[in-house]
Amino acid sequence: MRKTSPDVLPAEGGLGNEPLLALEDLHVEFGTRAGIVRAVNGVSYTLDSGETLAVLGESGSGKSVTAQAIMGILDMPPARIPKGEIRFRGTDLLKLSEEARTQVRGQRIAMIFQDALSALNPVFTVGWQISEMFRVHRGMSKRDGMAKAVELMDKVRIPAARQRLNDYPHQFSGGMRQRIMIAMAIALDPEVLIADEPTTALDVTVQAQIMELLAELQRESNMGMILITHDLGVVADVADKIAVMYGGRIVENALVHDIYKAPAHPYTKGLLESIPRVDLKGQELYAIKGLPPNLLDMPPGCAFHPRCPYRQDNCVTDVPPLYEISGTRNSACHYWREVLDGDNR
Ligand SMILES: Nc1ncnc2c1ncn2[C@@H]1O[C@H](COP(=O)(O)OP(=O)(O)OP(=O)(O)O)[C@@H](O)[C@H]1O
Ligand SMILES: [Mg+2]
């Protein structure tokens, strides 16, 4: 059982200059039969109200585990958080009791998942599931809850919301199911919305519509949003800043327009070069060579060195710190200057 005091919930309006959300040196590991999997190795970032942070990285880089730690939905054990803080309006969520944490989860920090079909309950109507948020957390009657559900379904632009209230999840298309999950996530006006690959399962046109909807809802409510994706293509229009993860660490963080202008880490550069471009039809699509690191057996020095075209001898031995390039930018590459200068390898 986790620590139970002090048990003061984060202030609604926020405390002084504390960011809405601040991760500080977060570590998450899993005890497995094969050994300790260090999934998150010292992640720090901040998020303010109205801001969108895109968290980017290949499969297995620790994006979802970080999000699950923020939500408090990791199974502990096998998960363990040996170190770090997750401050929400100045209060470390990791020090709250489970009861206080429940007040935050889903209500003040909400999350939408990649796969709406498995996140929604197949045996209840969508109206029932959305209205449950209001019955359980706001003590509303069934009737008032249903009225709220219609309101929300309208808001996320589900056509003929009132008529569809009593339909089941499988009766909706993938895009519409994702809208239902978004409706549930925003039902209680969360201050932080975490979207974990919300559009990966959808086709490109629907992806764009869902991203547009999220951006619009955010503008209206001023929530802070964490958008997890492995697709740099979708973040350009919606995100303010980007954190790039590799092997459970942040290897670069930057404002979106800076990163598109010139990446400061070879891994980010590789990701950017793997985006399909309509203006370069016929060109072979670049893919970063090699495989993501094995978290049970991380390479010494920089975890990216086996795949890195900029590698020098010290990359194999010295773990690069997160060098500060400017007030809004960091790179965990000993040779960030060369990368930033566009010195092509
Ligand atoms: N319950 C668990 N037990 C052991 N290892 C786990 C567990 N959950 C996650 N991991 C490991 O932690 C690492 C990070 O996983 P995570 O789900 O955060 O990756 P991700 O960046 O979200 O990738 P993806 O893009 O595939 O969703 C992976 O290597 C994964 O295998
Ligand atoms: Mg994931």
Side-chain angles (χ1 to χ4, degrees):
M1 197 62 219
R2 254 174 275 155
K3 204 169 163 226
T4 49
S5 67
D7 227 358
V8 187
L9 282 171
E12 292 276 348
L15 289 176
N17 293 327
E18 273 285 345
L20 176 60
L21 186 72
L23 269 55
E24 187 107 18
D25 198 25
L26 183 70
H27 288 70
V28 183
E29 56 190 39
F30 296 93
T32 71
R33 238 177 285 170
I36 294 175
V37 175
R38 294 197 169 79
V40 180
N41 301 302
V43 163
S44 305
Y45 59 63
T46 64
L47 178 75
D48 285 316
S49 295
E51 197 174 44
T52 296
L53 165 72
V55 178
L56 214 83
E58 281 168 307
S59 190
S61 55
K63 306 179 300 290
S64 296
V65 171
T66 306
Q68 288 156 7
I70 299 170
M71 279 299 281
I73 53 173
L74 284 167
D75 283 328
M76 313 234 272
R80 234 186 350 248
I81 301 186
K83 207 173 158 194
E85 288 187 355
I86 300 172
R87 291 196 306 273
F88 175 51
R89 297 200 182 279
T91 300
D92 185 3
L93 295 178
L94 298 175
K95 294 204 173 79
L96 289 181
S97 66
E98 188 47 40
E99 194 191 344
R101 199 88 197 265
T102 307
Q103 305 285 312
V104 174
R105 185 185 306 127
Q107 303 195 58
R108 301 185 59 191
I109 304 182
M111 184 158 168
I112 53 184
F113 302 88
Q114 175 177 338
D115 180 6
L117 195 55
S118 55
L120 295 168
N121 191 326
V123 303
F124 292 106
T125 65
V126 299
W128 181 262
Q129 290 183 66
I130 301 173
S131 65
E132 188 179 27
M133 301 296 290
F134 297 99
R135 294 194 309 275
V136 171
H137 298 289
R138 297 285 183 266
M140 275 187 193
S141 67
K142 191 177 152 194
R143 190 197 166 96
D144 290 349
M146 283 295 196
K148 277 288 206 185
V150 174
E151 230 175 76
L152 274 163
M153 285 166 75
D154 274 333
K155 194 167 183 175
V156 297
R157 288 202 214 87
I158 292 173
R162 191 173 298 276
Q163 288 89 299
R164 304 220 59 185
L165 206 54
N166 295 318
D167 286 350
Y168 292 86
H170 73 267
Q171 294 171 283
F172 291 83
S173 68
M176 287 298 150
R177 277 197 293 267
Q178 200 54 286
R179 286 171 192 268
I180 293 161
M181 195 157 53
I182 293 170
M184 288 172 69
I186 63 164
L188 304 174
D189 283 323
E191 291 143 85
V192 177
L193 180 65
I194 305 174
D196 191 353
E197 311 250 13
T199 62
T200 327
L202 307 172
D203 68 55
V204 180
T205 336
V206 183
Q207 273 185 11
Q209 292 164 356
I210 296 285
M211 289 314 305
E212 206 170 295
L213 172 67
L214 283 172
E216 196 181 306
L217 293 169
Q218 182 194 30
R219 271 196 301 276
E220 271 170 31
S221 66
N222 205 34
M223 345 179 242
M225 185 155 89
I226 299 176
L227 176 65
I228 299 173
T229 174
H230 54 250
D231 182 358
L232 244 176
V234 308
V235 303
D237 300 329
V238 288
D240 300 295
K241 55 188 192 181
I242 295 189
V244 181
M245 289 188 72
Y246 190 79
R249 290 185 72 201
I250 290 182
V251 293
E252 175 165 6
N253 57 49
L255 301 176
V256 165
H257 55 86
D258 286 337
I259 237 169
Y260 280 93
K261 228 184 290 164
H265 193 284
Y267 179 61
T268 316
K269 190 164 185 279
L271 288 178
L272 275 168
E273 285 165 1
S274 357
I275 306 178
R277 282 174 53 179
V278 277
D279 55 328
L280 292 181
K281 244 200 203 133
Q283 280 226 357
E284 207 178 309
L285 199 59
Y286 175 86
I288 302 173
K289 293 185 182 67
L291 294 172
N294 175 359
L295 297 176
L296 281 165
D297 185 19
M298 290 287 271
C302 172
F304 189 59
H305 87 251
R307 306 170 73 183
C308 185
Y310 290 82
R311 179 183 61 230
Q312 304 285 331
D313 290 348
N314 64 332
C315 302
V316 183
T317 46
D318 306 339
V319 177
L322 206 47
Y323 294 105
E324 188 169 325
I325 300 175
S326 75
T328 53
R329 187 148 202 196
N330 304 83
S331 166
C333 174
H334 295 304
Y335 298 97
W336 61 265
R337 280 190 186 81
E338 283 79 352
V339 184
L340 198 56
D341 285 347
D343 175 1
N344 267 321
R345 302 277 161 114

